[in-house]
Amino acid sequence: MFDIPFNIKKISYFLISGKITTVISFKIESTFEEWVKIFDSKEADLRHSEFDIKPLFRGFSKDDPKKVICIHQAPEGNIQKFVQANSEWIKSHKVDFSSMEESSWI
């Protein structure tokens, strides 16, 4: 059997699955406990599923409990489409859009 370098395996996985892992961090104006109730709600699950988004992790910074991180897997571009389509709903849950940072991983 051939030994395929790790980066080739990752690129092959992306080409087959078409999924990108996205890491988003942002500040919230509420407590994490209040915010996470919304993030873990059935409504949020439905909204994520409409864009084929699979939440993998959410948590807050040990140094700043108002700074939240979310890690998702989704087809390329779907996180951005989700945020655009749901921006008012997201803002209504006290997310500070000006603090949002995003990175994408294969």
Side-chain angles (χ1 to χ4, degrees):
M1 177 158 260
F2 296 104
D3 185 25
I4 301 173
F6 182 70
N7 60 346
I8 299 293
K9 289 179 184 176
K10 288 174 75 176
I11 292 169
S12 297
Y13 171 77
F14 169 72
L15 293 174
I16 292 168
S17 72
K19 302 264 179 164
I20 296 283
T21 300
T22 304
V23 178
I24 302 172
S25 64
F26 51 88
K27 294 269 196 155
I28 56 174
E29 297 167 8
S30 62
T31 66
F32 180 77
E33 292 77 18
E34 292 169 331
W35 176 84
V36 83
K37 285 179 189 175
I38 297 159
F39 186 85
D40 289 347
S41 71
K42 289 183 182 185
E43 180 181 5
D45 288 345
L46 179 60
R47 288 175 186 256
H48 284 129
S49 70
E50 290 172 359
F51 290 87
D52 194 21
I53 296 171
K54 180 181 178 184
L56 302 176
F57 175 81
R58 80 285 184 280
F60 62 91
S61 168
K62 69 177 188 154
D63 298 325
D64 182 356
K66 298 281 187 182
K67 186 171 185 178
V68 174
I69 187 171
C70 296
I71 303 174
H72 300 88
Q73 269 191 339
E76 189 167 13
N78 279 25
I79 296 290
Q80 295 79 5
K81 291 175 188 172
F82 171 84
V83 170
Q84 286 177 346
N86 293 283
S87 63
E88 291 306 314
W89 180 73
I90 295 168
K91 285 179 189 175
S92 75
H93 299 105
K94 300 188 174 148
V95 171
D96 177 3
F97 269 76
S98 68
S99 67
M100 197 172 280
E101 297 178 12
E102 176 187 333
S103 60
S104 299
W105 304 78
I106 296 178

